[in-house]
């Protein structure tokens, strides 16, 4: 099985930037698609971004398109999320995930989840 650990969360002012990273352990996940989700109290987990196993195809939620960039480094078994022009509504716990395809990720059907990292954007 794969274990995913997120890092890079923290407190940032509106308009600022933050980079999240997710490291896989237990097994390489280079043959799997990957993605990011976020969740706030009282809400369902929300899709943020997905990336194909080779990194050539990406998808983004409309709410973050143009501001966030997903990437991956298969040699290091990591996936990143560069977040720019952050808004208070971006405040959430961010989770990384991997699955068989970007379609599965976008359907909220990943195979593995990380435990999350808190991102707080102040106004």
């Amino acid at each position: 099985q794969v274990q995913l650990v997120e890092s890079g969360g923290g407190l940032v002012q509106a308009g600022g930037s933050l980079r999240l990273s997710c490291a896989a352990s237990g097994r390489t996940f280079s043959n799997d698609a990957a993605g990011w989700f976020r969740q706030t109290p009282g809400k369902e987990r929300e899709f943020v971004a997905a990336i194909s196993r080779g990194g050539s195809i990406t998808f983004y939620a409309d709410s973050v398109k143009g501001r966030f960039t997903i990437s991956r480094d298969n040699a290091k078994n990591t996936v990143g999320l560069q977040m720019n022009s952050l808004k208070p509504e971006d405040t959430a716990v961010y989770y990384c995930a991997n699955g068989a395809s970007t379609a599965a990720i976008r359907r909220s059907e990943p195979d593995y989840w990380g435990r999350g990292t808190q991102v707080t954007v102040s106004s």
Side-chain angles (χ1 to χ4, degrees):
Q1 302 296 311
V2 173
Q3 291 189 341
L4 306 173
V5 180
E6 301 92 341
S7 63
L11 176 65
V12 65
Q13 293 185 338
S17 298
L18 203 61
R19 180 176 175 81
L20 306 182
S21 295
C22 176
S25 63
R27 195 202 77 188
T28 179
F29 70 156
S30 61
N31 288 331
D32 297 324
W36 288 92
F37 293 78
R38 64 188 183 186
Q39 187 171 29
T40 57
K43 295 184 178 180
E44 294 184 350
R45 195 165 297 186
E46 174 191 15
F47 167 77
V48 175
I51 188 168
S52 62
R53 64 180 182 177
S56 61
I57 303 172
T58 58
F59 298 91
Y60 298 93
D62 288 341
S63 59
V64 306
K65 194 172 298 182
R67 299 188 298 119
F68 291 11
T69 303
I70 188 171
S71 62
R72 70 187 303 161
D73 185 340
N74 288 339
K76 297 180 179 180
N77 292 329
T78 60
V79 59
L81 185 69
Q82 179 66 45
M83 305 183 293
N84 298 325
S85 301
L86 284 163
K87 305 174 181 179
E89 51 262 46
D90 294 320
T91 295
V93 176
Y94 283 71
Y95 301 86
C96 64
N98 72 314
S101 67
T102 56
I105 298 291
R106 295 168 70 194
R107 296 190 196 103
S108 298
E109 297 175 351
D111 292 325
Y112 305 101
W113 294 96
R115 293 184 178 182
T117 185
Q118 177 71 48
V119 172
T120 302
V121 183
S122 62
S123 60

